[in-house]
Amino acid sequence: MNPLYDALIAPCAAREGGFLLRPDGSVLLGYGEFVEQVGRYANALVGLGLEPGDRVAMQLEKSPEMLALVGGCIAAGLIFLPLNTGYPVAELDYFVENSGARLFLCDPGKRDALAALERFARVESLGPQGTGSFAALAAACDTAFAPVARGEDDLAAFLYTSGTTGRSKGAMISHRNLLSNARVLVEFWRFTGADVLLHALPIFHTHGLFVATNVALLAGAPMIWLEKFEVEAVLDALPRATTMMGVPTFYTRLLEDARFGRDVAGHMRLFISGSAPMLEETHRQFEARTGERILERYGMTETNMLCSNPYEGERVAGTVGPPLPGVELKVCDAEGVALPDGEVGVIEVRGENVFHGYWQMPEKTAAELRSDGWFITGDLGVIDAQGYVSIVGRGKDLIISGGYNIYPKEVEAVLDAQAGVLESAVVGAPHPDFGESPVAVIVAAPGAEVEIAAVRAALGEALARFKHPRHFDVVEALPRNTMGKVQKAALRARYGEVFKV
Ligand code: MCA
Ligand code: AMP
């Protein structure tokens, strides 16, 4: 038994036609080719001496090869660890070292620049169309591979999530976590082999990899495979799709294009949005333009999907719907005691979908995952009389930009280390394209000048581009409360209009 292999990959051998399609409907990768590629990669991984439970880190451009590599890791009983393609070397170092990965895979073009990672792991490259050193190893391997036996609670993936304090944490995710959630979603959203999913999300996060890809594989639905979200390509592909998943920025960008309307979208069975809050105004505009109501859902890296508006029944803008089948959810006080419906509190969840803790961080695990299985999400929510959940805020200091999470503390640490900076605070401000975007508020050291150009350059070295503040302000002092704590709410109010168009 290998739960994920058996449910997601093995059935592909009996499927006809394309698994990944180009926007024009032609086949990019057939189901049969996918299974063979998975077998080759699994043989190559084993050939490198990797053993069940070993970690394989990867920073790869979105490609059929990367999907097959994930499949190869599953088949070989390895734990895969996909990393955002935007991370510079400074960030990668930590993930590869912390995870104890034995193998790191990168794009062939980045191989030389990432040679420093060899001090932690073997480094190989894998690019599209069979390029790279790992592809060469795999080309010499057999396609037949007997999947390594795994139990439901064996780990399948580590996904790193930042934290409000300290370094990123590797969320340990098991076969059971992924499979139970995929099964619920296929049924709840009515996915079948007759669907064609338009896939324009990155595949290094839960949304594009576990929600979209696992659901498509489990249902036997092919995917139209776009390397990234681009309005033009999406408009081209929509007529051949039946469903699409995206972050709110996808939908606001589509709405900005006058060609997007009933003609291209009216035939779609389902549009799903998540990863960040969608404005009620966007829901309204979308329905007015296409006649379709976006189905909004809510999830987290640590838990996969938690709540969803119904497939049939009312989809209520501004809510994320009731908890999914199999997910227990309560809104509670700091001690975990459930509050009456209608009161705002912290959302806690429990179920087969909830992760196994943070890799080698027992204290952080204990702080967020209670011994009775309840996970403290850090989101603030309220449940209405119909059982619909609304996310009304975040107990955690987090900015979500275009569906990517940014923890202010990480940005502040880089800012504070710059010459002439006494201290800083980073807050999110509403942004017309990304939903929210970071603003850096900096206090100069006495008598010092802060050079914003130098600060930007330092950010470029240290952090992925999406984390960079898009507005900087140098001020005399940060607003503080009587306890001396920086009043971020006051800063959010002060900078609330900086990105207004
Ligand atoms: C790219 N950039 C960004 C972002 N993405 N900056 C801020 N926020 C972003 N999200 C940078 C680029 O590096 C570029 O930098 C500049 O911004 C402009 O890029 P642009 O062309 O506008 O961006 P893009 O390449 O079109 O990407 C925007 C995007 C993309 C399509 C919204 O970010 C995206 O696909 N987001 C989806 C994220 C996602 O899948 N999240 C799910 C996480 P420069 O100008 O310097 O070159 S999973 C999750 O949250 C949970 C589990 C859940 O519930 O799903
Ligand atoms: P991540 O850690 O990247 O998995 O991001 C998870 C966080 O995204 C959640 O804790 C929420 O704060 C947020 N999120 C996801 N979906 C939604 C949604 N539909 N509405 C509001 N926030 C969301």
Side-chain angles (χ1 to χ4, degrees), residues 44-65:
L45 291 164
V46 172
L48 289 175
L50 296 172
E51 288 174 10
D54 280 346
R55 272 78 62 206
V56 175
M58 59 189 81
Q59 185 192 42
L60 297 169
E61 289 301 328
K62 181 177 177 181
S63 63
E65 285 76 6

Side-chain angles (χ1 to χ4, degrees), residues 364-413:
K364 289 198 167 143
T365 301
E368 295 181 42
L369 190 56
R370 298 184 191 276
S371 55
D372 56 2
W374 287 97
F375 174 63
I376 307 164
T377 64
D379 290 313
L380 301 178
V382 61
I383 306 177
D384 70 15
Q386 281 69 46
Y388 282 54
V389 176
S390 298
I391 315 289
V392 297
R394 298 180 199 129
K396 49 195 175 191
D397 196 9
L398 166 69
I399 300 166
I400 305 183
S401 166
Y404 289 148
N405 288 6
I406 304 162
Y407 281 87
K409 182 145 195 309
E410 202 180 15
V411 186
E412 288 160 4

Side-chain angles (χ1 to χ4, degrees), residues 275-277 296-301 320 379 394 396 400 405:
S275 305
E296 186 168 357
R297 56 66 177 173
Y298 157 60
M300 280 186 82
T301 298
V320 292
D379 290 313
R394 298 180 199 129
K396 49 195 175 191
I400 305 183
N405 288 6

Side-chain angles (χ1 to χ4, degrees), residues 200-202 205-208 211 228-229 247 249-250 253 274-276 297-301 304-305 401-406 433-434 436-437 465-467 470:
L201 289 156
H205 275 315
T206 295
H207 196 163
V211 188
K228 59 175 291 203
F229 176 87
V247 297
T249 301
F250 285 18
R253 286 188 182 181
S275 305
R297 56 66 177 173
Y298 157 60
M300 280 186 82
T301 298
N304 231 306
M305 296 304 99
S401 166
Y404 289 148
N405 288 6
I406 304 162
D433 185 30
F434 292 126
E436 261 183 312
S437 196
R465 169 79 183 112
F466 72 87
K467 297 179 185 175
R470 284 167 193 267

